[in-house]
Amino acid sequence: MNSMKRVKKVLQALLMLLCACFLVVDPKDGFYFVAFIVSVSLIAYGVRTLLYYFGMARHMVGGKSILFIGIIVTDLGVFILTTVDDPKLFIVVYLLAVHAFSGAMGVLQALEAKRYASPSWKWSLLGGLADLAVAVLAVIAGLFLDSLESLSCLYAFTLFYSACVQLVSAFRKTAIVYIQ
């Protein structure tokens, strides 16, 4: 990883930590700030992906998947921007969708790694199960308990965890492979 990517990861992590602090201090007003940042970043990523498709990826194998990703991410960003008036719905949908998908992929990767006798399958399984637990907690706190404060704290915790993972990956030494 080059130094520019490291700086970008550190800045993203600091922004996540700032958003998590806003959510813990003031769950209602901090939520609107975080929702705005998430929606704008999703829209920017989607537009960047669409521009990449129209510039280069349409000539590549699997380019249509890049087009679909760009459309879906842009649509998700616009959806988040329009549903910001009902914060409980946004947080439940976001936490459920992201963490359920991530958890399912983590569990599937762990099962595949176990089949190949990889030593890291236990950590993948643990991460996948933790993501699934966050999705279940989001549904319980949002739909059954009807508590915006507990949802905001859960979302702040996930932001804090993601920021810590970003910081660790930014400062992790990467191996350089030389081909002779």
Side-chain angles (χ1 to χ4, degrees):
M1 181 183 315
N2 62 16
S3 61
M4 196 61 185
K5 285 185 181 180
R6 289 184 196 276
V7 169
K8 183 179 173 185
K9 278 192 173 273
V10 168
L11 289 177
Q12 285 176 345
L14 291 177
L15 183 65
M16 284 183 192
L17 287 173
L18 180 70
C19 291
C21 289
F22 277 144
L23 278 174
V24 169
V25 171
D26 189 14
K28 293 211 184 246
D29 291 335
F31 169 75
Y32 293 112
F33 175 71
V34 171
F36 179 74
I37 288 176
V38 167
S39 64
V40 167
S41 63
L42 284 174
I43 291 171
Y45 177 73
V47 168
R48 190 174 68 223
T49 304
L50 288 173
L51 290 176
Y52 174 67
Y53 169 77
F54 289 118
M56 186 184 308
R58 64 182 168 168
H59 304 292
M60 295 172 23
V61 174
K64 280 190 179 178
S65 65
I66 293 174
L67 172 68
F68 295 142
I69 288 171
I71 290 171
I72 290 170
V73 169
T74 305
D75 188 41
L76 182 64
V78 171
F79 173 73
I80 289 170
L81 196 60
T82 59
T83 60
V84 121
D85 294 336
D86 188 13
K88 185 178 67 165
L89 174 69
F90 163 72
I91 295 176
V92 169
V93 168
Y94 179 78
L95 287 175
L96 179 66
V98 169
H99 289 285
F101 181 75
S102 173
M105 289 296 111
V107 169
L108 290 175
Q109 283 177 346
L111 293 176
E112 184 179 3
K114 182 180 180 186
R115 190 173 33 186
Y116 291 119
S118 174
S120 66
W121 72 271
K122 293 176 185 175
W123 290 108
S124 297
L125 181 66
L126 186 64
L129 291 176
D131 276 334
L132 287 174
V134 167
V136 169
L137 285 174
V139 170
I140 290 171
L143 299 180
F144 298 120
L145 298 179
D146 200 30
S147 171
L148 181 62
E149 288 78 21
S150 61
L151 273 174
S152 294
C153 288
L154 182 65
Y155 187 58
F157 173 73
T158 60
L159 277 177
F160 179 75
Y161 175 75
S162 296
C164 291
V165 168
Q166 288 268 344
L167 283 174
V168 167
S169 70
F171 292 115
R172 179 177 291 150
K173 193 170 190 162
T174 56
I176 299 174
V177 178
Y178 293 103
I179 300 174
Q180 295 181 4

